[in-house]
Amino acid sequence: MAQAKKIDYPALQRELDETLAMLEDPKTDIDAALVAYERGLKLVTQLEAYLKDAQNKVHEIKASFGDQA
Amino acid sequence: MSADIEVSVSEFVALLNQTLDFAYPSVVIVGELANFKIWRDRLVFFDLKDDEATVNCFAFITQLPGPLEDGMLLKVRGQPQYHQTRGFSFNVQRLQPAGEGSIRRAANLLQAKLAAEGLFDDSRKRLLPYPPQSIGLVTSKQSAAYADFVKILAARWSGLDIHLIDVQVQGEAAPGQIVQAIEQFNAAAQTPDVLVVIRGGGSPEDLAAFSTEQVTRAVAASRVPTLVAIGHEIDLSLAELAADQRASTPSNAAELLVPDRTQVRAALQRAAEQLERAGQQVLQTARTAAEEQRVSLNQAIQDVLISHQERLQSSAKLLQALSPTAILQRGYAIVHQGQTALRSVKQLQRGVIVNVQLADGSFTAQPEE
């Protein structure tokens, strides 16, 4: 959870959008595209982890209020 | 044979009075009131008469039980005396109406007088504390009225602090004792919540004390709220008229004074049940609303998460589609010369080795021509 708090989700989301836009641009050269692609995968992993943490946190909060749903 | 006694007029009067004192220290005369006169608001002169004789009487105004008028039958206790200048008179010690008609007439006159003063006005009536915590009781401890009153109080309510001042409720001493008891309760450091004056039934003469001016005024003047019950339902004394509240009988006084605990308990029980039902309903409504809100809340957070997950999945899929290595799978190659990826053959230099990357590996090549 502590790690999840450090992540600025909207900022990472914006960066992923920019990365995708860069990859879609035909003028982007192959090396830059490779770097961007790698960064994009990393961002997706981070964002997935963040969302997974968020989902877990929702479960924890619900459980602490006696809601098993 | 004894010689005649020769005395002066004054000596004769003194001798006569000595004889009268000895012979009639106190005598009660019953007769009709006539020639009733009040002199300088202090002294009262009147005659008592019957068909054949008349007696001059003298009294102080404070001895009157209330307003009187000629024709009333009076019972007068007093002492005969021969006054040095005014002649014979009957000096009144106590005076009261006699016979039902006169008693009623005297009571009516007194009632009219006190009513004119406003003693019986409804505007003077105060509410009795309900139920009171302490009761000042004025009655005879030996009476059935006392026993009934206390018994009914105990049956209906508990925790009452009852202070009794035992008084005579009929006879000559009664009015004075009743007034004194009322004043004593009013002068107490801790006055009772209510003052109750009761007496059981009796003849009009028996009840007369409670229609005297002094008792009526004492009841009216009481700082402590008063409840008075004298005799039966049909008897109405002036003290009852002056009281804040009247009860028809001593038992009725007890009923008016405190609620019946069984009725109160039943009413409380009903109120408690009603309260609980209302409370349950409020709780149930709140519970339902909270449950609905909980569901909405859960749905809302799930929607947020799902929306982000969908967006992320879409981005990941796009990223995969845009992967540069995916192109190699289709048979393309990437040619690097040093650190630079070549986009044109014009960039090739003869003899300089390039690195050619395919999907499953890479090799070097040296362009010749």
Side-chain angles (χ1 to χ4, degrees):
Chain A
M1 284 295 127
Q3 192 194 357
K5 276 181 189 169
K6 284 180 194 168
I7 290 175
D8 182 350
Y9 188 91
L12 295 188
Q13 180 72 57
R14 269 198 307 278
E15 192 184 343
L16 179 58
D17 289 343
E18 287 162 11
T19 304
L20 288 169
M22 188 179 166
L23 287 171
E24 282 174 316
D25 186 351
K27 286 183 275 183
T28 303
D29 74 37
I30 190 70
D31 290 326
L34 281 168
V35 171
Y37 176 65
E38 188 180 1
R39 176 64 184 154
L41 285 178
K42 195 174 176 187
L43 287 170
V44 167
T45 307
Q46 278 183 298
L47 290 169
E48 274 175 348
Y50 184 92
L51 288 179
K52 195 176 172 194
D53 274 352
Q55 182 69 63
N56 287 339
K57 191 169 181 182
V58 167
H59 285 312
E60 278 174 32
I61 292 169
K62 279 159 80 174
S64 73
F65 285 94
D67 187 346
Q68 302 304 315
Chain B
M1 187 176 169
S2 63
D4 288 340
I5 301 170
E6 208 176 278
V7 292
S8 69
V9 175
S10 300
E11 283 168 341
F12 171 71
V13 168
L15 197 62
L16 184 60
N17 280 331
Q18 266 180 17
T19 309
L20 286 171
D21 267 356
F22 180 76
Y24 303 106
S26 179
V27 63
V28 175
I29 308 174
V30 176
E32 187 185 319
L33 176 65
N35 299 320
F36 181 78
K37 284 188 212 77
I38 295 174
W39 189 71
R40 292 192 175 175
D41 274 342
R42 206 168 79 83
L43 306 179
V44 181
F45 298 97
F46 60 91
D47 295 338
L48 273 182
K49 64 173 192 176
D50 59 17
D51 290 344
E52 291 166 9
T54 298
V55 173
N56 300 324
C57 298
F58 161 76
F60 292 100
I61 199 163
T62 51
Q63 292 173 309
L64 298 183
L68 300 174
E69 63 180 15
D70 288 354
M72 282 182 172
L73 193 64
L74 297 185
K75 186 191 275 187
V76 182
R77 178 188 296 281
Q79 192 180 28
Q81 196 179 33
Y82 196 92
H83 192 270
Q84 285 174 329
T85 55
R86 290 197 301 267
F88 181 82
S89 83
F90 188 68
N91 290 350
V92 174
Q93 292 164 340
R94 179 179 155 74
L95 178 159
Q96 64 188 103
E100 204 172 319
S102 292
I103 289 173
R104 194 178 305 123
R105 181 71 193 133
N108 287 345
L109 286 173
L110 179 58
Q111 183 173 344
K113 176 186 164 188
L114 298 180
E117 289 182 31
L119 254 65
F120 308 140
D121 286 357
D122 283 344
S123 60
R124 288 174 46 90
K125 308 291 184 202
R126 296 163 293 188
L127 281 177
L128 303 185
Y130 187 79
Q133 290 186 341
S134 59
I135 299 171
L137 182 58
V138 179
T139 193
S140 163
K141 195 175 182 181
Q142 304 303 320
S143 65
Y146 172 73
D148 289 349
F149 179 78
V150 171
K151 186 176 141 196
I152 289 173
L153 271 189
R156 290 173 68 87
W157 204 244
S158 54
L160 294 167
D161 195 5
I162 305 173
H163 299 275
L164 169 73
I165 295 184
D166 188 13
V167 295
Q168 287 183 29
V169 290
Q170 67 187 72
E172 289 183 16
Q177 288 186 10
I178 295 165
V179 168
Q180 199 180 354
I182 292 171
E183 287 172 350
Q184 194 177 324
F185 276 128
N186 273 280
Q190 195 160 8
T191 55
D193 293 339
V194 63
L195 192 60
V196 178
V197 181
I198 51 170
R199 190 210 187 285
S203 70
E205 285 191 34
D206 290 342
L207 307 182
F210 296 93
S211 284
T212 58
E213 186 166 357
Q214 57 187 132
V215 169
T216 307
R217 284 194 187 280
V219 169
S222 174
R223 286 188 296 117
V224 179
T226 50
L227 172 62
V228 180
I230 305 302
H232 299 302
E233 175 70 49
I234 51 161
D235 303 313
L236 185 58
S237 65
L238 297 187
E240 286 172 283
L241 290 179
D244 291 305
Q245 191 168 356
R246 184 216 170 199
S248 57
T249 60
S251 302
N252 179 231
E255 289 163 359
L256 291 179
L257 212 48
V258 296
D260 186 338
R261 64 159 77 83
T262 48
Q263 286 175 7
V264 171
R265 213 173 275 143
L268 280 177
Q269 182 67 32
R270 281 196 300 278
E273 286 165 7
Q274 208 171 343
L275 212 56
E276 191 180 338
R277 276 199 301 277
Q280 287 295 350
Q281 202 163 345
V282 169
L283 272 180
Q284 187 52 45
T285 307
R287 225 178 268 138
T288 307
E291 189 52 39
E292 283 169 2
Q293 283 165 334
R294 176 198 290 269
V295 170
S296 302
L297 207 58
N298 285 344
Q299 191 56 51
I301 189 66
Q302 284 305 334
D303 288 350
V304 169
L305 286 174
I306 288 167
S307 145
H308 280 94
Q309 277 162 353
E310 284 174 353
R311 185 175 171 191
L312 187 55
Q313 277 168 9
S314 157
S315 296
K317 203 179 279 179
L318 183 58
L319 185 65
Q320 209 51 52
L322 294 171
S323 161
T325 53
I327 301 165
L328 301 184
Q329 298 291 343
R330 291 172 15 210
Y332 294 95
I334 300 169
V335 180
H336 278 94
Q337 185 174 295
Q339 294 302 313
T340 309
L342 301 182
R343 285 171 168 261
S344 166
V345 290
K346 291 175 185 167
Q347 291 174 280
L348 286 171
Q349 293 172 335
R350 185 178 298 167
V352 177
I353 293 172
V354 295
N355 185 55
V356 180
Q357 188 183 354
L358 292 168
D360 57 349
S362 62
F363 62 90
T364 55
Q366 192 171 26
E368 294 178 345
E369 198 59 44

